[in-house]
Amino acid sequence: TFAPLYCSNLCVNNCLYCAFRRNNKVIRRRRLSLEEVRRETEILAGMGHKRLITSYGEHPLSDANYIADTLRTIYSVKVKARKGWGEISRVNVNAAPMTIEELEMLKEIGIGTFQVFQETYHHETYYRVHPSNTIKGNYHWRLYCMHRALEAGVDDVGIGVLLGLYDWRFEVMGLLMHSRDLEEQFGVSPHTISFPRLRPAANTPFV
């Protein structure tokens, strides 16, 4: 198991189903400072947690360099816990797709599982809910992000779909084919496969 640590909800995308979307003016935007990340980590490590998953919106202020800084900060924390010393031994990352060079930097720091959800494998639905004038509107850039991660040497990757966008049976087949392709090309399948589902979110136009 792992505990979540949301580091930033700043986002340049405008996904119709997401409260983080850039046109949503009803939520409070935050990017944790490194001192705030440290304090949150101290609390979680003090509770006995050893694994975290950090989450970031896609935005220049929460880019790969910011992610790298948060990972270094988290790994540097060592606190008195319930039984001995508490520290985080593995940080998984849920973030936007990155370049091979950016992923190599995170690999060097010690990224755990790199997790990116395709959201939907159905092309028509994907383009309908991810506007074309956004980074996330590029279907193939997102689809092949795990190929880049494995090329960068990241040990574990995680994929997933957002149930409720399209027929779940089609999505499961998409996940299967995605997994098989990774195994055929790199000899490894995803460490995790996730099935989040649509839930009510503040001021979202998705129907």
Side-chain angles (χ1 to χ4, degrees):
T1 60
F2 49 76
L5 178 54
Y6 289 85
C7 294
S8 172
N9 66 357
L10 306 178
C11 194
V12 298
N13 292 308
N14 214 16
C15 309
L16 300 188
Y17 52 82
C18 184
F20 284 10
R21 64 191 180 86
R22 71 179 184 216
N23 285 357
N24 192 356
K25 307 301 182 184
V26 305
I27 67 168
R28 183 184 178 191
R29 301 290 178 175
R30 284 291 310 277
R31 187 194 79 154
L32 297 185
S33 68
L34 294 182
E35 181 55 34
E36 288 174 316
V37 171
R38 179 181 301 280
R39 291 200 300 268
E40 294 290 327
T41 304
E42 288 173 348
I43 294 170
L44 292 166
M47 294 169 61
H49 288 288
K50 297 296 183 183
R51 298 186 176 197
L52 300 184
I53 183 164
T54 53
S55 182
Y56 314 81
E58 187 163 14
H59 192 277
L61 293 178
S62 51
D63 61 5
N65 292 310
Y66 172 72
I67 295 173
D69 288 341
T70 60
L71 294 183
R72 293 188 189 99
T73 300
I74 292 168
Y75 282 130
S76 72
V77 169
K78 193 171 186 178
V79 297
K80 187 68 174 177
R82 293 169 180 169
K83 295 182 179 180
W85 289 97
E87 59 187 326
I88 303 302
S89 60
R90 181 184 179 91
V91 184
N92 303 327
V93 172
N94 185 311
M98 301 183 208
T99 65
I100 293 176
E101 292 73 22
E102 290 169 334
L103 289 159
E104 286 174 340
M105 175 177 64
L106 299 185
K107 166 63 178 177
E108 185 176 345
I109 296 169
I111 186 176
T113 302
F114 179 55
Q115 186 182 71
V116 177
F117 300 157
Q118 187 65 21
E119 317 296 14
T120 176
Y121 289 95
H122 185 251
H123 287 203
E124 182 180 340
T125 300
Y126 187 94
Y127 292 123
R128 180 167 66 89
V129 298
H130 304 113
S132 60
N133 62 340
T134 63
I135 298 172
K136 198 167 177 178
N138 188 331
Y139 179 96
H140 289 95
W141 171 251
R142 194 168 188 87
L143 181 66
Y144 289 105
C145 67
M146 294 310 170
H147 293 67
R148 297 192 298 276
L150 292 169
E151 287 179 29
V154 175
D155 298 318
D156 294 304
V157 297
I159 62 176
V161 292
L162 182 55
L163 294 179
L165 292 180
Y166 191 64
D167 189 323
W168 66 268
R169 289 161 293 195
F170 180 91
E171 304 293 17
V172 170
M173 290 300 296
L175 286 167
L176 175 62
M177 297 307 296
H178 198 169
S179 300
R180 289 182 62 179
D181 185 66
L182 291 173
E183 190 160 4
E184 288 174 2
Q185 295 200 41
F186 300 97
V188 60
S189 55
H191 186 139
T192 62
I193 296 179
S194 301
F195 296 91
R197 63 192 178 97
L198 279 177
R199 298 286 294 164
N203 195 30
T204 52
F206 178 78
V207 177

